Amino acid sequence: MRLFIDTGSVDEVREIAAWGVLAGATTNPSLLAKSGDDPGDAIRRICELVDGPVSAEVVSDDPERMVVEGRALRALHEHVTVKVPFGAAGLQATRALSDEGIPVNMTLVFTPTQAILSAEAGATYVSCFMGRLDDVSVDSAAVLAEIVGALRPAGAAVQVLAASIRHPEHVVTAATLGCEVATVPAKVLRQMLNHPLTAEGIAKFDADWQSRPELARWLDSLTGTVAVR
Ligand code: G3P
């Protein structure tokens, strides 16, 4: 499963992209508004940092205007994927944009039927929201399993993108269910990274290594450099 970062913050993208684990990013109007940066500059810089698909969302509710906004967003950078909110207008705009060869990420999808319609409209990605389902006491894992199950048999080209990720277990569930992508906030990516037993293990290795100073000298000679301690 590929990992995208879900943010409008260039700084967050730069931090996590350094780990070498990101295949793309997703933004949305709320995330771009929160970042405070110029949206076009932020989108272009994020595209360069992740060197992969970056979703930028249209904001109109009119299908023809959605297409106009989508073309303009796509023109920002070759990595831009146009994000379109689900609905009749969104389906119409998705069909038009995908027919022009512009990749679409259909977002705000909460049911298998919405996912099927999105696939038939030509969406490249279907963003299936997990956290917002859990927020209203709907089992997001069950819904995501239905969506994956509904799209797989037809061999649909559409990629299931797990979104609205609230904690590391959502990422594990998405991977286990066979989603192609999970888009993950920086906070959750950091939670995925950190574990007290890992930190404790590194500290123990270091203490034991330091207990015999000749070991550090050996490694310095092996590398031909002196480690900064
Ligand atoms: O960006 C799309 C989605 O991941 C946002 O979800 O619920 O965190 O706003 P949420």
Side-chain angles (χ1 to χ4, degrees), residues 125-218:
Y125 302 97
V126 179
S127 284
C128 307
F129 280 41
M130 299 184 75
R132 296 193 196 185
L133 282 171
D134 292 340
D135 291 346
V136 294
S137 302
V138 174
D139 181 350
S140 63
V143 173
L144 196 60
E146 281 188 297
I147 288 172
V148 172
L151 295 183
R152 280 300 150 266
V158 68
Q159 298 179 52
V160 180
L161 190 156
S164 189
I165 300 286
R166 295 279 195 279
H167 48 70
E169 273 312 296
H170 275 158
V171 181
V172 174
T173 299
T176 304
L177 290 174
C179 293
E180 280 78 11
V181 183
T183 192
V184 187
K187 176 188 173 203
V188 176
L189 286 159
R190 295 185 197 107
Q191 289 171 330
M192 292 167 69
L193 181 79
N194 298 319
H195 194 288
L197 289 178
T198 302
E200 185 182 304
I202 290 171
K204 178 74 168 55
F205 287 156
D206 186 55
D208 292 343
W209 186 257
Q210 299 299 336
S211 69
R212 289 184 53 199
E214 71 272 27
L215 295 179
R217 288 195 294 273
W218 165 79

Side-chain angles (χ1 to χ4, degrees), residues 46-124:
I46 291 171
C47 284
E48 291 301 323
L49 284 166
V50 299
D51 192 26
V54 175
S55 293
E57 190 162 340
V58 300
V59 293
S60 175
D61 59 5
D62 171 76
E64 290 177 3
R65 171 79 182 165
M66 283 177 171
V67 174
V68 170
E69 290 178 1
R71 288 179 186 136
L73 290 169
R74 176 66 173 175
L76 287 172
H77 195 284
E78 63 180 345
H79 288 332
V80 167
T81 294
V82 177
K83 214 178 196 184
V84 177
F86 183 82
L91 291 170
Q92 184 176 337
T94 295
R95 171 49 60 204
L97 289 165
S98 59
D99 286 350
E100 293 179 15
I102 297 176
V104 173
N105 176 1
M106 182 74 85
T107 192
L108 289 167
V109 169
F110 296 96
T111 66
T113 51
Q114 290 178 331
I116 290 166
L117 288 169
S118 303
E120 291 309 306
T124 300

